[in-house]
Amino acid sequence: MVVKKTNPASGSFQVESLEARQMMAVLTGYWEKFLGLDKIAQNYPWLDGGTNGIAIIDKGIDYFHPVLGGNEATNKVAPRIVNVHDYKDGDNLPFPDTDEHTDVTSAHATGVAGVIAANGYKDQYNVYHQGVLTSPESLLYNLRTNSADSQNTIKLSLQWVLANHALYNITAINLTDFIGSFANTAVYATVAQQLKAAGVFIVTPVANDWLDPVNPRYVIGLPAKDPSIFGIGGIQGNGTLNRLRDQTQRGPGLDLVGPADGVTLPYYIPSTNSHIIVSGYGVGNSWACAYTTATAIMLQQIDPSITPDEIMQILKDSGTPTLDNDTVSNPDQSYDYSSLNSYAAVQLAYTRRDDIYDQGKGGSDDLAHAGVINLNNGAGSITNLKLLMHDVDYYTFTIDSPNDYKVSVGYGGSSAFPPAQLLDADGNAVATITQGGIVRRLTAGTYYIKLLSDSTLSGLYSVAVGEDAPIIGPSTPGQNGTFNSIAYDPSGNLNFAWFDAQAGRLDFAKRTGSVWSAPVVVDGAAHTGNFMSMSLDNNGLPAIAYYDETNTALKYAHFNGSTWSLQTVDSAFTTGYYPSIKFDANNHPAIAYYYKSSGDLRLATNNGSVWSITTIDSKGDVGRYPSLALNGATGRWGIAYEKTTSGDFRYAEQLKKGGWSITVVDPTRGGGGFASLAYDNNGLPAFSYYDAYNADLKFARFSAGKWSTKAIAAKGSQGLYTNMFFDSGNNFLPVIYYFNKTANAAMVARNQSTGWQFETVATAGGRQLSVALDANDFETFAYLDDATGDLKVAQPV
């Protein structure tokens, strides 16, 4: 290492308060661009050092340096510097000594730390610089050796790392020996070998004294001579020449070369206690060594199982062939060495360290290059797969005929189960693949399995597809249910329909007396049944409106007494959210729903043979959570709903001469939804709803020619999943079932002559609440039970 020129401490640089990796993308320094560090920041921003620690065995880091985050005035130690021990002074504060002011190398470790971990700063030429690794959890462990006993204090430093590398996740060592040794074996050879076997990558700069052809050009000695330690040399300031520096030692022990001339880095002048920036004049193989250390850490982030030898092989194979321009040692002028290319090393690591499906061009990183799972008799699998940090893996399979398929990811390692999805032929998510796999009814066509993880998966995984786990229906009513609806038929049987979130389909069961029928699948198409709503026709037969996520369409299912018939009602772009279905006096169904693509409230009506679609409200984003009801006094439809744009609640009423009248009932600012509309015995409308702005249960009622609104329950967060009806057994006073989010309970509010009375009807759950009245107006409700993850049906006694 040599420093040719330094800049004054005062006013020579500016520490930038930019986001950690953001600055890297705008680095303009020569060497940063030469190594491709700006491209790494742009394309691999997660490679920041992570939690990997680095031991800096050197002459002590200036841990008060501003670009490292320190502040001498306030005695603030740079947050990423961990002071371990000073073997020269015998204390735990390994700072560059002012006593060594005659030795400019006493501040050497500060430059190493700056190359690896400096915060963003501008030099005097207004050029951005930053350390390669920016993670606040990637720490530098500061160990200072004693130049008077260099070999033994290096050994003591390495022994400390060996004893503590697992505890602190130290995965690399940047070792600088200013004395060196020509002994056959280093005093620290055994501990260095143990560290390498443990996966710790150790690098050291070779000497800078191989220049004068007259004087002896010494062969490379220790530490680089040690087989467990890699030696790093330097290249010329103009890296495009691809030439070694004349000063760089050659021969056995020189493994890699890198930036060693014109490097910008932080430094320290012990004699004047000055924290400075060396702007474009840092010279020495030590800086190439520091860049190599930081690049190795990124490769360890990509694959923590990588060995030191594998790291060095990737660095060599991805590097730029570099000329040994000394005609004595290299008379044929061959390119004997490889120069560090950090960006190419990262790219090669992602290819070489992955499984065979990521080895070819394009890897398995997109749909076009997905690994193929060949199915034989409906089953197939791929094993021995790896998932690297922020890598995405795709696998594809094709089925010829509809069936129930189990799709699974097999993994039992120490990492968290990887995020995985089942996709359709267009790459749209069909389902999340959970641990143990999922079962879906799939139509003929092509499907994909996608995996993506924030960190490298420890160990191997597999993917599998098979027909060996068909499902006819859930074993119990409400199993894995979310959206649901219940209703009593004229014979007193309870009809129950629900969306099975695990299977991704629409199911149905009927209870006669206290006995449930075997559940059946109404629609088993992939991910179909969301937002379902059920109503019974005038013959007591169930009909269901629901959302088909695969085709982004509104669908309708009707039971004729023996079979279910399915129809697509509206399939224009994305449509069919939050349907609400009812039958008119002529036994014709009507469905109010939200047309998501343009944000409209729509009504679909059927005349017995065809569906007609009418847009009720289309100004802004309007129509979420519609509740449809038939006014018995007029025979016309009414709809309560939310306008998301303004956050208000509205009521749309069908007019006698055609068209609709729309009224803003409650101009709340936050919306909320979960409206439930009903008409009293005089044909006057009322509805319950959730006011998200205030987190209240509210009730709106039309009387004496105007609407009035009232907060019914306002303590905590209450009012989701409302169900409102008028109690014929209690003077047609309103009753509201709802979910109390704060208490995590299902509640009922009953209006009495003295006010509202409240009752908790279920605890440890209450979402997805639905209510049905039997012929005697006794209430039954269904809700999601948190303990089982299934729907429960409860009947008050």
Side-chain angles (χ1 to χ4, degrees), residues 674-694:
F674 301 105
S676 178
L677 172 69
Y679 291 92
D680 66 14
N681 56 328
N682 296 313
L684 298 177
F687 63 93
S688 58
Y689 56 102
Y690 174 60
D691 174 1
Y693 185 79
N694 298 295

Side-chain angles (χ1 to χ4, degrees), residues 350-367:
Y350 265 107
T351 299
R352 183 172 292 180
R353 299 304 298 172
D354 215 327
D355 52 63
I356 60 171
Y357 292 92
D358 255 322
Q359 300 298 318
K361 184 177 181 181
S364 57
D365 295 343
D366 53 42
L367 298 182

Side-chain angles (χ1 to χ4, degrees), residues 105 236 314 596 683 731:
T105 65
Q236 297 289 88
I314 287 176
K596 185 177 184 295
N731 299 315

Side-chain angles (χ1 to χ4, degrees), residues 420-480:
Q421 290 180 313
L422 176 65
L423 312 179
D424 63 18
D426 296 321
N428 300 311
V430 173
T432 298
I433 303 174
T434 55
Q435 198 161 9
I438 58 168
V439 178
R440 286 289 184 274
R441 171 61 59 89
L442 301 179
T443 56
T446 298
Y447 296 87
Y448 295 89
I449 298 171
K450 175 185 177 182
L451 290 94
L452 174 65
S453 179
D454 289 339
S455 58
T456 297
L457 202 63
S458 176
L460 303 175
Y461 75 94
S462 62
V463 290
V465 179
E467 294 180 322
D468 57 343
I471 51 173
I472 299 172
S475 59
T476 58
Q479 185 175 0
N480 303 313

